[in-house]
Amino acid sequence: MQDAGGTAGRMPAGSGFLRREVGLWGLTFVSLGSIIGSGWLLGALTAAQAAGPASLISWLLAGGMLALLALVHAELGTSYPVAGGTARFPGFAFGALAGLTAGWAAWLQAVTIAPIEVEASLQYLNNIAWVRSHLGLLHADGTLSPAGLGFATLLMLLFTVINVLGVRRLTRSNAAVVLWKLAVPVLTVIVVAALTFHPSNFTAGGGFSPYGAHGIFAALPAGVVFSLQGFEQAIQLGGEARDPQRDLSRAVILAMLIGTVLYILLQIVFIGGLDPRYLADGWTHPVGAGDFGPYATIAAAAGAGWLAALLYADAFVSPAGTGLVYLGASARLSYALARQGTLPPALSYVSRRGVPVYSIVLAFVAGELAFLPYPSWQSLVGLVTSATAIMYAFAPVSLTALRRRDPQHHRPYRVPAAGVAAPAAFVSANLVIYWGGFEATWKLLLAIGAGLALFAITVAHTPDRARPAIDWRASSWIWPWLIGLTVIGFLGRYGRGARLWLPGWIDLLVVIAFSLVIFAYAVSVAVDSERVRAAVDRERPELAAPLERDRP
């Protein structure tokens, strides 16, 4: 492949094609950079507060559940390597309305994470005495001050400029950040384990599992799933992968494996590194109330002040790096929705640098608006986790439907035992939504309804011949599914507003049974083989033309 300056790499502005410039390590670092963000600094603390030492089980459970979803995404991404794949796979199988719903959930999640990570960066910076006294980035209640909003805007502008300059600069700048983000937590594991480790902590404060199974499950949306999500970012760049059939599955699986192992090790050294005195009364405040740097506190208490300083620096770099990736990811999603005809067509415009520039600008504007109602990292974690799970849930039903309706399609990677793995992945996503709590689910239901209203407006202003075909039967499972999960959440045991009418464990059986019924119905009503092939054929220019153009 020629470089961006060569003739092979050029394409006219507005051509509609993205450039295939991202290799295996660029894709891996995009996913890994999304996984290692502010979650590694706060995830272990929030998980321990919810489940105590049994939070280790939470990480193992989340790792297994998300691994199933990652394998499903790997097959879809290598088979249909298009930009914004999480929005477009459901569109192939269930029509435009399903693609819009999946894509809107994905966009809500992605566009909100960039400002969340920026807020996390500024919260940590404000913990430094000089910054707090001279800049005052936060109000006393933790919300952004005018100065904080100004610095947050500067960071968002920086992310926007890097994305507008092109995907090659995005992946190169991200690679350097990811190497730093990976090195610091690994160093933390080694140093904390060597300097201060108390095995007795694993049975302190009420035993290994002080809050029982409820605590283990409650820890998942409290930061565990949020920390591990992000593997799909390589899939979102599928339309820009140099060799997607070979590299996408490897990148997703490798990033997921590294991230899961690292987070489990971090949880182990966090629990073992705590001062046992703080655990005498339980796990409510294992490092002291209001502490924004739990690992730094442990390092300083162990006499490793240099590591504490490094951790405060990383507390800025890690969230900022993740915000950079997610601003680009949200732009690819709105680009994908515009190509499907479900959002205004201007969002699919591609500049001479091969980037969806208007979609990037939209992500910046939406990120700026998100600063206003959301005051802190903790306040949005549950909501973003549930939005992510809704996005993930579309993949296993799409995989099964596409295998049945498009069986001859070339699949460079195939999920082992997909007949079991795909339904299990769908159940996993629905359990995460349920554990996220009733309050998060009903709010997302309203937000998705707003997206459908925007879709209706877009379609109403689209000429008849260009309107996307809506197969109402193929998408008839979506609202019963989302409303059903909301009702189960209302009757269940998690989140504000839940009525606790479903007994423990019975609630999980209800979610599992409901999920399997919806899965079977959804697969049965997918569009027919001819419609699937027609939808895929419409993407042939994106799937094939850039590759032809890039040949030497």
Side-chain angles (χ1 to χ4, degrees), residues 110-202:
V111 81
T112 308
I113 285 181
I116 290 174
E117 298 295 311
V118 168
E119 284 192 336
S121 297
L122 297 182
Q123 283 180 346
Y124 281 114
L125 279 180
N126 202 65
N127 207 42
I128 300 171
W130 185 92
V131 174
R132 187 167 55 249
S133 60
H134 288 80
L135 299 180
L137 301 177
L138 303 180
H139 293 301
D141 62 357
T143 56
L144 291 174
S145 68
L149 184 59
F151 278 97
T153 300
L154 287 177
L155 275 175
M156 290 291 290
L157 279 172
L158 177 62
F159 299 164
T160 302
V161 169
I162 292 174
N163 275 276
V164 167
L165 288 176
V167 70
R168 179 175 293 183
R169 287 180 173 84
L170 169 62
T171 53
R172 284 178 177 173
S173 61
N174 181 62
V177 172
V178 171
L179 289 174
W180 163 277
K181 291 166 66 174
L182 187 59
V184 175
V186 168
L187 182 64
T188 301
V189 168
I190 295 170
V191 173
V192 172
L195 293 182
T196 173
F197 195 84
H198 307 282
S200 61
N201 287 354
F202 289 86

Side-chain angles (χ1 to χ4, degrees), residues 67-106:
L68 283 174
L69 289 159
L71 293 176
V72 168
H73 279 81
E75 177 171 330
L76 288 169
T78 54
S79 304
Y80 306 95
V82 291
T86 54
R88 294 165 85 178
F89 306 143
F92 293 157
F94 301 104
L97 188 59
L100 179 276
T101 308
W104 186 251

Side-chain angles (χ1 to χ4, degrees), residues 3-15:
D3 61 29
T7 355
R10 290 180 188 161
M11 64 188 68
S15 65

Side-chain angles (χ1 to χ4, degrees), residues 323-346:
L324 169 66
V325 170
Y326 268 95
L327 189 140
S330 58
R332 268 67 185 178
L333 286 164
S334 54
Y335 162 87
L337 292 170
R339 281 187 63 85
Q340 289 180 175
T342 52
L343 286 182

